[in-house]
Amino acid sequence: AQTVTQSQPEMSVQEAETVTLSCTYDTSESDYYLFWYKQPPSRQMILVIRQEAYKQQNATENRFSVNFQKAAKSFSLKISDSQLGDAAMYFCAYRSAYAGGTSYGKLTFGQGTILTVHP
Amino acid sequence: GAGVSQSPSNKVTEKGKDVELRCDPISGHTALYWYRQSLGQGLEFLIYFQGNSAPDKSGLPSDRFSAERTGGSVSTLTIQRTQQEDSAVYLCASSLVSAGTSNGELFFGEGSRLTVL
């Protein structure tokens, strides 16, 4: 079974600064997807960024970028020019790319990191 | 609808009562997932539907929990004889396709917060 670990229960950053959230995972599969989701107090899970394991290039979405280290099974999220609206809980998640087995596209989540942004 | 809709948004019930939580996925999404999020915790997978069938029920914590989906659309999660440990936010997500595709984004609803007194 796959596991996802976020070792930082809480992080804080000053507005306009950069912060990195850590995530490691464990899997025996070679093809999979990794995600970062944001959950504000509204409880809505919002997809921030997605990485396909077969791609060597790190994904980037505006101020959000990842550092994907497949061999180390590490997938960190960097938020540049942090804004007050970035404050939320962030979840790292794993999804198998295989059609067979019992994964059925379900996401396996880490425990989350609460990000506080100070003005 | 435009997004995944869940109801009720909040539910307070007494221990021992039954509750039903509803999820209305995005139109046309064949895959539907239920997750549970306890206070300050990550998301725990409960059950997966493909159409009206549930090939993966492995996350249901006990036989007090059941779910169904009708017409390949709306799903209902039922908790019988609720216990205090059932208090959590129950999140529903839907997806256009299931595992093995290149676009696996799951779209989440805002969840139903259940409080068992």
Side-chain angles (χ1 to χ4, degrees), chain A residues 104, chain B residues 25-26 28-33 48-51 69 72 93-99 106-107:
Chain A
Y104 296 109
Chain B
I26 293 173
H29 280 194
T30 56
L32 186 148
Y33 308 81
Y48 158 72
F49 285 94
Q50 178 62 34
R69 189 179 184 194
S94 70
S95 175
L96 184 59
V97 291
S98 60
L106 271 62
F107 295 83

PDB file of all heavy atoms in Angstrom, chain A residues 104, chain B residues 25-26 28-33 48-51 69 72 93-99 106-107:
ATOM      1  N   TYR A 104      -8.277   2.211  -8.236  1.00  0.00           N
ATOM      2  CA  TYR A 104      -9.475   2.858  -8.774  1.00  0.00           C
ATOM      3  C   TYR A 104      -9.385   4.369  -8.778  1.00  0.00           C
ATOM      4  O   TYR A 104     -10.393   5.051  -8.663  1.00  0.00           O
ATOM      5  CB  TYR A 104     -10.716   2.420  -7.998  1.00  0.00           C
ATOM      6  CG  TYR A 104     -11.004   0.952  -8.123  1.00  0.00           C
ATOM      7  CD1 TYR A 104     -10.822   0.100  -7.057  1.00  0.00           C
ATOM      8  CD2 TYR A 104     -11.442   0.417  -9.332  1.00  0.00           C
ATOM      9  CE1 TYR A 104     -11.085  -1.250  -7.170  1.00  0.00           C
ATOM     10  CE2 TYR A 104     -11.703  -0.935  -9.454  1.00  0.00           C
ATOM     11  CZ  TYR A 104     -11.531  -1.766  -8.371  1.00  0.00           C
ATOM     12  OH  TYR A 104     -11.793  -3.099  -8.488  1.00  0.00           O
TER      13      TYR A 104
ATOM     14  N   PRO B  25     -22.761  14.740  -7.685  1.00  0.00           N
ATOM     15  CA  PRO B  25     -21.496  14.995  -8.391  1.00  0.00           C
ATOM     16  C   PRO B  25     -21.691  15.883  -9.614  1.00  0.00           C
ATOM     17  O   PRO B  25     -22.814  16.210  -9.995  1.00  0.00           O
ATOM     18  CB  PRO B  25     -21.069  13.591  -8.814  1.00  0.00           C
ATOM     19  CG  PRO B  25     -22.370  12.874  -9.035  1.00  0.00           C
ATOM     20  CD  PRO B  25     -23.299  13.413  -7.971  1.00  0.00           C
ATOM     21  N   ILE B  26     -20.573  16.225 -10.213  1.00  0.00           N
ATOM     22  CA  ILE B  26     -20.616  16.986 -11.454  1.00  0.00           C
ATOM     23  C   ILE B  26     -21.268  16.113 -12.530  1.00  0.00           C
ATOM     24  O   ILE B  26     -20.953  14.919 -12.639  1.00  0.00           O
ATOM     25  CB  ILE B  26     -19.205  17.427 -11.864  1.00  0.00           C
ATOM     26  CG1 ILE B  26     -18.676  18.447 -10.850  1.00  0.00           C
ATOM     27  CG2 ILE B  26     -19.187  18.016 -13.260  1.00  0.00           C
ATOM     28  CD1 ILE B  26     -17.222  18.834 -11.044  1.00  0.00           C
ATOM     29  N   GLY B  28     -22.158  13.975 -15.488  1.00  0.00           N
ATOM     30  CA  GLY B  28     -21.335  13.210 -16.412  1.00  0.00           C
ATOM     31  C   GLY B  28     -20.145  12.527 -15.783  1.00  0.00           C
ATOM     32  O   GLY B  28     -19.491  11.687 -16.417  1.00  0.00           O
ATOM     33  N   HIS B  29     -19.839  12.851 -14.538  1.00  0.00           N
ATOM     34  CA  HIS B  29     -18.717  12.193 -13.863  1.00  0.00           C
ATOM     35  C   HIS B  29     -19.132  10.795 -13.434  1.00  0.00           C
ATOM     36  O   HIS B  29     -20.077  10.619 -12.665  1.00  0.00           O
ATOM     37  CB  HIS B  29     -18.267  13.018 -12.650  1.00  0.00           C
ATOM     38  CG  HIS B  29     -17.398  14.163 -13.003  1.00  0.00           C
ATOM     39  ND1 HIS B  29     -16.660  14.866 -12.071  1.00  0.00           N
ATOM     40  CD2 HIS B  29     -17.110  14.727 -14.196  1.00  0.00           C
ATOM     41  CE1 HIS B  29     -15.964  15.813 -12.683  1.00  0.00           C
ATOM     42  NE2 HIS B  29     -16.227  15.758 -13.971  1.00  0.00           N
ATOM     43  N   THR B  30     -18.389   9.803 -13.911  1.00  0.00           N
ATOM     44  CA  THR B  30     -18.758   8.420 -13.623  1.00  0.00           C
ATOM     45  C   THR B  30     -18.183   7.921 -12.301  1.00  0.00           C
ATOM     46  O   THR B  30     -18.719   7.020 -11.692  1.00  0.00           O
ATOM     47  CB  THR B  30     -18.273   7.512 -14.760  1.00  0.00           C
ATOM     48  OG1 THR B  30     -16.854   7.698 -14.937  1.00  0.00           O
ATOM     49  CG2 THR B  30     -18.970   7.864 -16.077  1.00  0.00           C
ATOM     50  N   ALA B  31     -17.078   8.489 -11.897  1.00  0.00           N
ATOM     51  CA  ALA B  31     -16.422   8.032 -10.670  1.00  0.00           C
ATOM     52  C   ALA B  31     -16.801   8.953  -9.510  1.00  0.00           C
ATOM     53  O   ALA B  31     -16.819  10.183  -9.654  1.00  0.00           O
ATOM     54  CB  ALA B  31     -14.917   7.999 -10.847  1.00  0.00           C
ATOM     55  N   LEU B  32     -17.075   8.353  -8.354  1.00  0.00           N
ATOM     56  CA  LEU B  32     -17.445   9.119  -7.170  1.00  0.00           C
ATOM     57  C   LEU B  32     -16.774   8.499  -5.958  1.00  0.00           C
ATOM     58  O   LEU B  32     -16.738   7.278  -5.808  1.00  0.00           O
ATOM     59  CB  LEU B  32     -18.973   9.110  -6.994  1.00  0.00           C
ATOM     60  CG  LEU B  32     -19.564   9.979  -5.888  1.00  0.00           C
ATOM     61  CD1 LEU B  32     -20.934  10.493  -6.307  1.00  0.00           C
ATOM     62  CD2 LEU B  32     -19.644   9.266  -4.568  1.00  0.00           C
ATOM     63  N   TYR B  33     -16.216   9.341  -5.106  1.00  0.00           N
ATOM     64  CA  TYR B  33     -15.461   8.906  -3.934  1.00  0.00           C
ATOM     65  C   TYR B  33     -16.008   9.594  -2.681  1.00  0.00           C
ATOM     66  O   TYR B  33     -16.336  10.772  -2.715  1.00  0.00           O
ATOM     67  CB  TYR B  33     -13.983   9.279  -4.073  1.00  0.00           C
ATOM     68  CG  TYR B  33     -13.322   8.828  -5.353  1.00  0.00           C
ATOM     69  CD1 TYR B  33     -13.462   9.554  -6.531  1.00  0.00           C
ATOM     70  CD2 TYR B  33     -12.527   7.688  -5.395  1.00  0.00           C
ATOM     71  CE1 TYR B  33     -12.860   9.154  -7.704  1.00  0.00           C
ATOM     72  CE2 TYR B  33     -11.907   7.285  -6.564  1.00  0.00           C
ATOM     73  CZ  TYR B  33     -12.087   8.019  -7.727  1.00  0.00           C
ATOM     74  OH  TYR B  33     -11.483   7.620  -8.886  1.00  0.00           O
ATOM     75  N   TYR B  48     -15.589   3.910  -3.099  1.00  0.00           N
ATOM     76  CA  TYR B  48     -15.507   4.382  -4.484  1.00  0.00           C
ATOM     77  C   TYR B  48     -16.647   3.790  -5.294  1.00  0.00           C
ATOM     78  O   TYR B  48     -16.949   2.603  -5.175  1.00  0.00           O
ATOM     79  CB  TYR B  48     -14.170   3.962  -5.075  1.00  0.00           C
ATOM     80  CG  TYR B  48     -14.131   3.911  -6.590  1.00  0.00           C
ATOM     81  CD1 TYR B  48     -14.131   5.076  -7.344  1.00  0.00           C
ATOM     82  CD2 TYR B  48     -14.082   2.685  -7.262  1.00  0.00           C
ATOM     83  CE1 TYR B  48     -14.084   5.026  -8.729  1.00  0.00           C
ATOM     84  CE2 TYR B  48     -14.036   2.617  -8.639  1.00  0.00           C
ATOM     85  CZ  TYR B  48     -14.043   3.796  -9.376  1.00  0.00           C
ATOM     86  OH  TYR B  48     -13.999   3.749 -10.746  1.00  0.00           O
ATOM     87  N   PHE B  49     -17.294   4.611  -6.105  1.00  0.00           N
ATOM     88  CA  PHE B  49     -18.325   4.173  -7.037  1.00  0.00           C
ATOM     89  C   PHE B  49     -17.864   4.416  -8.468  1.00  0.00           C
ATOM     90  O   PHE B  49     -17.304   5.459  -8.787  1.00  0.00           O
ATOM     91  CB  PHE B  49     -19.622   4.963  -6.828  1.00  0.00           C
ATOM     92  CG  PHE B  49     -20.403   4.576  -5.615  1.00  0.00           C
ATOM     93  CD1 PHE B  49     -20.226   5.249  -4.422  1.00  0.00           C
ATOM     94  CD2 PHE B  49     -21.318   3.541  -5.660  1.00  0.00           C
ATOM     95  CE1 PHE B  49     -20.944   4.902  -3.294  1.00  0.00           C
ATOM     96  CE2 PHE B  49     -22.045   3.184  -4.542  1.00  0.00           C
ATOM     97  CZ  PHE B  49     -21.861   3.868  -3.355  1.00  0.00           C
ATOM     98  N   GLN B  50     -18.124   3.426  -9.313  1.00  0.00           N
ATOM     99  CA  GLN B  50     -18.001   3.606 -10.753  1.00  0.00           C
ATOM    100  C   GLN B  50     -19.396   3.342 -11.304  1.00  0.00           C
ATOM    101  O   GLN B  50     -19.869   2.192 -11.276  1.00  0.00           O
ATOM    102  CB  GLN B  50     -16.975   2.648 -11.352  1.00  0.00           C
ATOM    103  CG  GLN B  50     -16.833   2.757 -12.855  1.00  0.00           C
ATOM    104  CD  GLN B  50     -16.362   4.124 -13.328  1.00  0.00           C
ATOM    105  OE1 GLN B  50     -15.580   4.807 -12.662  1.00  0.00           O
ATOM    106  NE2 GLN B  50     -16.832   4.539 -14.478  1.00  0.00           N
ATOM    107  N   GLY B  51     -20.047   4.370 -11.797  1.00  0.00           N
ATOM    108  CA  GLY B  51     -21.465   4.221 -12.096  1.00  0.00           C
ATOM    109  C   GLY B  51     -22.213   3.954 -10.798  1.00  0.00           C
ATOM    110  O   GLY B  51     -21.994   4.639  -9.805  1.00  0.00           O
ATOM    111  N   ARG B  69     -25.485   4.546  -4.728  1.00  0.00           N
ATOM    112  CA  ARG B  69     -25.523   5.550  -5.783  1.00  0.00           C
ATOM    113  C   ARG B  69     -26.568   5.113  -6.792  1.00  0.00           C
ATOM    114  O   ARG B  69     -26.611   3.946  -7.193  1.00  0.00           O
ATOM    115  CB  ARG B  69     -24.152   5.665  -6.460  1.00  0.00           C
ATOM    116  CG  ARG B  69     -24.053   6.844  -7.431  1.00  0.00           C
ATOM    117  CD  ARG B  69     -22.685   6.926  -8.048  1.00  0.00           C
ATOM    118  NE  ARG B  69     -22.568   8.115  -8.897  1.00  0.00           N
ATOM    119  CZ  ARG B  69     -21.583   8.317  -9.764  1.00  0.00           C
ATOM    120  NH1 ARG B  69     -20.613   7.420  -9.886  1.00  0.00           N
ATOM    121  NH2 ARG B  69     -21.546   9.408 -10.492  1.00  0.00           N
ATOM    122  N   GLY B  72     -26.368   6.539 -11.590  1.00  0.00           N
ATOM    123  CA  GLY B  72     -25.014   6.978 -11.912  1.00  0.00           C
ATOM    124  C   GLY B  72     -24.749   8.410 -11.510  1.00  0.00           C
ATOM    125  O   GLY B  72     -23.807   9.046 -12.007  1.00  0.00           O
ATOM    126  N   ALA B  93     -16.103  13.441  -3.681  1.00  0.00           N
ATOM    127  CA  ALA B  93     -15.381  13.915  -4.864  1.00  0.00           C
ATOM    128  C   ALA B  93     -15.849  13.137  -6.078  1.00  0.00           C
ATOM    129  O   ALA B  93     -16.244  11.974  -5.974  1.00  0.00           O
ATOM    130  CB  ALA B  93     -13.877  13.737  -4.683  1.00  0.00           C
ATOM    131  N   SER B  94     -15.800  13.772  -7.221  1.00  0.00           N
ATOM    132  CA  SER B  94     -16.157  13.058  -8.454  1.00  0.00           C
ATOM    133  C   SER B  94     -15.090  13.299  -9.512  1.00  0.00           C
ATOM    134  O   SER B  94     -14.312  14.247  -9.443  1.00  0.00           O
ATOM    135  CB  SER B  94     -17.533  13.495  -8.975  1.00  0.00           C
ATOM    136  OG  SER B  94     -17.517  14.818  -9.482  1.00  0.00           O
ATOM    137  N   SER B  95     -15.065  12.385 -10.458  1.00  0.00           N
ATOM    138  CA  SER B  95     -14.066  12.441 -11.517  1.00  0.00           C
ATOM    139  C   SER B  95     -14.679  11.931 -12.807  1.00  0.00           C
ATOM    140  O   SER B  95     -15.502  11.011 -12.785  1.00  0.00           O
ATOM    141  CB  SER B  95     -12.848  11.592 -11.124  1.00  0.00           C
ATOM    142  OG  SER B  95     -11.918  11.523 -12.173  1.00  0.00           O
ATOM    143  N   LEU B  96     -14.230  12.499 -13.911  1.00  0.00           N
ATOM    144  CA  LEU B  96     -14.773  12.094 -15.204  1.00  0.00           C
ATOM    145  C   LEU B  96     -14.371  10.668 -15.559  1.00  0.00           C
ATOM    146  O   LEU B  96     -15.134   9.933 -16.143  1.00  0.00           O
ATOM    147  CB  LEU B  96     -14.277  13.057 -16.296  1.00  0.00           C
ATOM    148  CG  LEU B  96     -14.841  12.826 -17.704  1.00  0.00           C
ATOM    149  CD1 LEU B  96     -16.353  12.944 -17.705  1.00  0.00           C
ATOM    150  CD2 LEU B  96     -14.227  13.804 -18.681  1.00  0.00           C
ATOM    151  N   VAL B  97     -13.150  10.298 -15.168  1.00  0.00           N
ATOM    152  CA  VAL B  97     -12.658   8.961 -15.458  1.00  0.00           C
ATOM    153  C   VAL B  97     -12.012   8.400 -14.211  1.00  0.00           C
ATOM    154  O   VAL B  97     -11.740   9.112 -13.271  1.00  0.00           O
ATOM    155  CB  VAL B  97     -11.630   8.975 -16.601  1.00  0.00           C
ATOM    156  CG1 VAL B  97     -12.289   9.316 -17.912  1.00  0.00           C
ATOM    157  CG2 VAL B  97     -10.512   9.948 -16.293  1.00  0.00           C
ATOM    158  N   SER B  98     -11.744   7.115 -14.223  1.00  0.00           N
ATOM    159  CA  SER B  98     -11.161   6.495 -13.039  1.00  0.00           C
ATOM    160  C   SER B  98      -9.678   6.242 -13.287  1.00  0.00           C
ATOM    161  O   SER B  98      -9.058   6.888 -14.109  1.00  0.00           O
ATOM    162  CB  SER B  98     -11.898   5.212 -12.703  1.00  0.00           C
ATOM    163  OG  SER B  98     -11.813   4.302 -13.789  1.00  0.00           O
ATOM    164  N   ALA B  99      -9.133   5.298 -12.588  1.00  0.00           N
ATOM    165  CA  ALA B  99      -7.688   5.067 -12.621  1.00  0.00           C
ATOM    166  C   ALA B  99      -7.199   4.708 -14.017  1.00  0.00           C
ATOM    167  O   ALA B  99      -7.927   4.168 -14.833  1.00  0.00           O
ATOM    168  CB  ALA B  99      -7.324   3.956 -11.650  1.00  0.00           C
ATOM    169  N   LEU B 106      -9.625  14.960  -9.256  1.00  0.00           N
ATOM    170  CA  LEU B 106     -10.852  14.774  -8.506  1.00  0.00           C
ATOM    171  C   LEU B 106     -11.374  16.143  -8.105  1.00  0.00           C
ATOM    172  O   LEU B 106     -10.620  17.003  -7.644  1.00  0.00           O
ATOM    173  CB  LEU B 106     -10.606  13.935  -7.251  1.00  0.00           C
ATOM    174  CG  LEU B 106     -10.726  12.405  -7.380  1.00  0.00           C
ATOM    175  CD1 LEU B 106      -9.717  11.854  -8.356  1.00  0.00           C
ATOM    176  CD2 LEU B 106     -10.612  11.752  -6.021  1.00  0.00           C
ATOM    177  N   PHE B 107     -12.661  16.356  -8.274  1.00  0.00           N
ATOM    178  CA  PHE B 107     -13.310  17.600  -7.885  1.00  0.00           C
ATOM    179  C   PHE B 107     -14.087  17.345  -6.599  1.00  0.00           C
ATOM    180  O   PHE B 107     -14.926  16.452  -6.547  1.00  0.00           O
ATOM    181  CB  PHE B 107     -14.236  18.089  -8.992  1.00  0.00           C
ATOM    182  CG  PHE B 107     -13.517  18.468 -10.255  1.00  0.00           C
ATOM    183  CD1 PHE B 107     -13.172  17.503 -11.188  1.00  0.00           C
ATOM    184  CD2 PHE B 107     -13.166  19.782 -10.503  1.00  0.00           C
ATOM    185  CE1 PHE B 107     -12.486  17.841 -12.355  1.00  0.00           C
ATOM    186  CE2 PHE B 107     -12.492  20.135 -11.666  1.00  0.00           C
ATOM    187  CZ  PHE B 107     -12.152  19.161 -12.586  1.00  0.00           C
TER     188      PHE B 107
END
